């Protein structure tokens, strides 16, 4: 497994006693970006936030680390990041640095599906909107940390479609692929990537049989197109516990597991996120 390198921004030495450490020199749209804030006098932070691209993101609880989701829709360029918060004694601090965002090397993917599956009646549209609204509300909740272990893959299998593919349905660009598809014949047991609490456990229009787990700190993992759901909303699950059985429900061209990560409301590359969390955040 490729190890990340750490980069330190020394620009802060001039006026603040804060150093910013990141896992890469630049960020990539659709991927998580790791930031560690270090006070030279080893003072602990009471609060820590980062403002990026007009949005504010919270740090991981009780830590000086921020895992920033760089949304897929982020344009490439140089962004001014503002890191701010307070020390235990109440004193405030603020630190700014520039972050370069590059575009990920995402592929174009052409899918052929029946007309029935790309144009929807008013009843379906109503359901699609309702389900989307419901999910957004769930993802917006920043709950307390529920995991202590490293994240795992939901199954060991070949990846059939990567995150970020720009999807053309019957020649029309409809969306980007917000998760990673694993080859899984119908009936394969699917494991929880980490400890958490079930937030969605039902059949949905696009995603089919769906399970969503809240791991706390704005981190969610999603498991789609299931043929069977083994958990209930509100239930606490342990890492590795079987949450469902793979299938081909919802809008799919064949059986597989769609696995994804939502971080502070953005769908980001799940496997890179797991590597980043396991290498840096979870000891
Ligand atoms: Zn998928």
């Amino acid at each position: 497994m490729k190890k990340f390198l750490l980069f330190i921004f020394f620009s802060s030495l001039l006026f603040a006693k804060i150093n910013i450490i990141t896992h890469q020199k630049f960020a990539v749209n659709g991927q998580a970006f790791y930031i560690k804030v270090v006070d030279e006098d080893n003072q602990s932070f009471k609060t820590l936030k980062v403002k990026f691209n007009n949005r504010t993101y919270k740090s991981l609880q009780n830590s000086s680390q921020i895992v920033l989701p760089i949304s897929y829709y982020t344009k490439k360029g140089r962004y001014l990041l503002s890191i701010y918060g307070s020390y235990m004694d109440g004193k405030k601090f603020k630190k700014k640095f520039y972050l370069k965002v590059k575009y990920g090397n995402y592929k174009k993917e052409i899918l052929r599906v029946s007309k029935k599956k790309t144009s929807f009646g008013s009843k379906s549209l109503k359901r699609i909107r309702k389900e989307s609204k419901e999910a957004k509300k769930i993802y917006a909740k920043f709950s307390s940390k529920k995991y202590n272990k490293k994240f795992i893959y939901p199954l060991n299998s070949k990846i059939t479609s990567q995150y970020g593919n720009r999807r053309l349905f019957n020649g029309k660009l409809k969306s980007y692929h917000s998760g990673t598809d694993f080859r899984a014949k119908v009936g394969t047991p699917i494991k929880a990537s980490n400890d958490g609490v079930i937030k969605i456990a039902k059949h949905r229009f696009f995603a089919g049989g769906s399970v969503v787990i809240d791991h706390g700190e704005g981190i969610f993992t999603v498991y789609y197109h299931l043929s069977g759901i083994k958990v209930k909303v509100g239930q606490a699950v342990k890492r590795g516990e079987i949450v469902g059985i793979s299938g081909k429900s919802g809008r799919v061209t064949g059986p597989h597991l769609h696995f994804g990560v939502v971080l502070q409301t953005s769908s980001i590359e799940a496997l890179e996120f797991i590597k980043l969390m396991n290498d840096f955040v979870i000891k």
Side-chain angles (χ1 to χ4, degrees), residues 161 167 177 179-181 225 256-259:
S161 172
R167 295 194 142 171
H177 190 212
T180 302
D181 290 348
H225 312 307
H256 69 273
L257 175 79
H258 172 105
F259 172 63

Side-chain angles (χ1 to χ4, degrees), residues 228-241:
I229 295 172
K230 300 287 181 196
V231 286
K232 286 190 173 71
V233 170
Q235 185 185 330
V237 288
K238 289 278 169 219
R239 182 183 75 173
E241 205 173 316

Side-chain angles (χ1 to χ4, degrees), residues 80-92:
L80 186 64
L81 258 82
S82 176
I83 291 174
Y84 62 97
S86 59
Y87 293 107
M88 286 302 179
D89 63 6
K91 249 173 51 190
K92 291 193 166 92

Side-chain angles (χ1 to χ4, degrees), residues 115-130:
K115 266 259 160 64
K116 213 178 82 192
K117 290 193 172 183
T118 54
S119 56
F120 317 107
S122 64
K123 206 178 152 192
S124 297
L125 278 173
K126 215 174 149 187
R127 184 180 167 194
I128 292 163
R129 284 198 200 104
K130 193 178 161 231

Side-chain angles (χ1 to χ4, degrees), residues 41 46 116 119 128 134 138 160 186 206 214 277 283:
D41 298 332
K46 194 175 175 190
K116 213 178 82 192
S119 56
I128 292 163
E134 180 190 48
I138 287 167
T160 53
V186 176
F206 286 124
D214 178 6
M277 289 298 284
K283 299 281 179 251

